[in-house]
Amino acid sequence: MRLKHFLLSAFLLSALAGGVQAQHTQVIAHRGFWDAIGSAQNSIAALQKADSIGCYGSEFDVWLTSDNQLVVNHDDTFQGVTFQEARAEECTALRLGNGERVPTLRQYLEAAGRLKTRLILELKPHKTAGQETRAIEGIVRMVNELGVEARTEYITFSAHAAREFVRLAPKGTPVYYLNGDAAPRELKAWGCAGADYHIDVFRKHPEWIKECHDLGMKVNVWTVNGEDDMRWLIGQRVDFITTNAPVRLQKVLGEVAALE
Ligand code: MG
């Protein structure tokens, strides 16, 4: 009987430890879960599909148009239209690969309001610091108005935009810098929640993972699609992996958890 209890406790403990490991690295779908039927990068469908498979977060890209509207797309120039030089109506007339029109940020956030996945909002670098600050003022206002501020995190390649998100978003809102050229201490001084760097940066500076954690910051890594890279990063205890292959990453996380 005592042996049975012991075995049961050992089983529960190992299951718990496995669960903790499986929880440790979270999955972020890069531009949504777009590699699926009926989906496309940065479409509302891709956001909904990322949510439907239980991703921690869904990443997407935002531009400020010439008439100060916010639209969602990755490319600087898409189908001949340069977002930051075009009016919003020119941008939203364009169709994505799945037939959806390029969404406005408002449409995107309204759709997100019915979901659970976290919103990993990337502001693309614009031509001037003024455009970036105007974009951030508009983003923070809209995110608050639509009631998704507790689920929104901000990421950007622009050092100016990273500091402006810290200044303008509600205190405690996670802000991550993407460009890979700032050491953890510098990010901490800016008020960032952590580093969100390309995997090559962490291959070159693996010590930055521990430095971030020691400073109370988190680590996100992009854009990781191969199983070997996923396993290395899970072993390094990174907090988030941003991937074009969220289902593959979920499978690898399950396999790692089963081995622990
Ligand atoms: Mg992006």
Side-chain angles (χ1 to χ4, degrees):
M1 197 62 185
R2 289 178 75 174
L3 178 66
K4 200 172 157 191
H5 273 148
F6 171 78
L7 289 174
L8 184 64
S9 305
F11 171 78
L12 286 174
L13 271 176
S14 76
L16 192 64
V20 168
Q21 172 58 35
Q23 297 277 314
H24 193 275
T25 301
Q26 303 274 6
V27 179
I28 295 175
H30 181 236
R31 306 179 198 167
F33 182 19
W34 53 266
D35 190 12
I37 292 167
S39 194
Q41 294 189 359
N42 279 309
S43 64
I44 289 173
L47 168 71
Q48 291 165 334
K49 286 177 190 291
D51 182 75
S52 75
I53 60 167
C55 291
Y56 165 88
S58 190
E59 188 263 359
F60 57 99
D61 306 286
V62 174
W63 290 100
L64 183 76
T65 62
S66 65
D67 51 350
N68 292 318
Q69 303 297 307
L70 296 158
V71 296
V72 176
N73 196 270
H74 174 268
D75 297 356
D76 178 41
T77 300
F78 184 67
Q79 297 175 16
V81 175
T82 300
F83 288 103
Q84 57 184 312
E85 293 169 1
R87 284 173 293 109
E89 65 181 10
E90 297 172 76
C91 305
T92 57
L94 304 172
R95 285 195 190 272
L96 304 174
N98 67 344
E100 273 183 47
R101 290 184 190 277
V102 166
T104 63
L105 181 62
R106 179 172 291 277
Q107 289 167 334
Y108 201 87
L109 296 180
E110 282 173 351
R114 297 184 281 278
L115 307 174
K116 286 201 177 77
T117 193
R118 290 181 70 83
L119 306 171
I120 314 300
L121 188 159
E122 178 182 349
L123 179 67
K124 303 308 288 184
H126 287 61
K127 286 189 177 148
T128 69
Q131 282 170 289
E132 291 179 356
T133 296
R134 271 203 310 287
I136 292 165
E137 287 168 348
I139 289 166
V140 168
R141 198 181 313 120
M142 193 180 291
V143 163
N144 176 59
E145 182 194 332
L146 296 179
V148 290
E149 67 273 25
R151 279 170 48 212
T152 303
E153 307 186 11
Y154 297 113
I155 63 175
T156 182
F157 280 92
S158 159
H160 169 76
R163 287 184 290 237
E164 287 292 80
F165 273 124
V166 171
R167 182 173 73 85
L168 293 164
K171 196 169 162 47
T173 303
V175 177
Y176 293 86
Y177 179 60
L178 294 164
N179 208 34
D181 57 347
R185 260 178 211 295
E186 195 174 351
L187 297 178
K188 184 78 178 173
W190 294 355
C192 285
D196 184 354
Y197 288 169
H198 190 275
I199 185 169
D200 288 351
V201 175
F202 290 116
R203 289 274 190 200
K204 193 172 163 198
H205 291 288
E207 75 281 5
W208 281 4
I209 297 171
K210 184 173 184 305
E211 283 179 38
C212 279
H213 288 157
D214 288 348
L215 288 163
M217 297 195 298
K218 294 195 169 174
V219 174
N220 189 351
V221 191
W222 56 271
T223 297
V224 181
N225 304 320
E227 293 199 11
D228 289 347
D229 287 338
M230 290 171 178
R231 287 179 198 283
W232 179 67
L233 291 166
I234 294 164
Q236 295 290 313
R237 301 287 197 266
V238 303
D239 301 278
F240 313 103
I241 293 174
T242 301
T243 180
N244 288 327
V247 175
R248 184 180 306 150
L249 177 54
Q250 288 173 334
K251 185 198 76 154
V252 171
L253 281 165
E255 288 167 0
V256 170
L259 286 174
E260 294 217 335

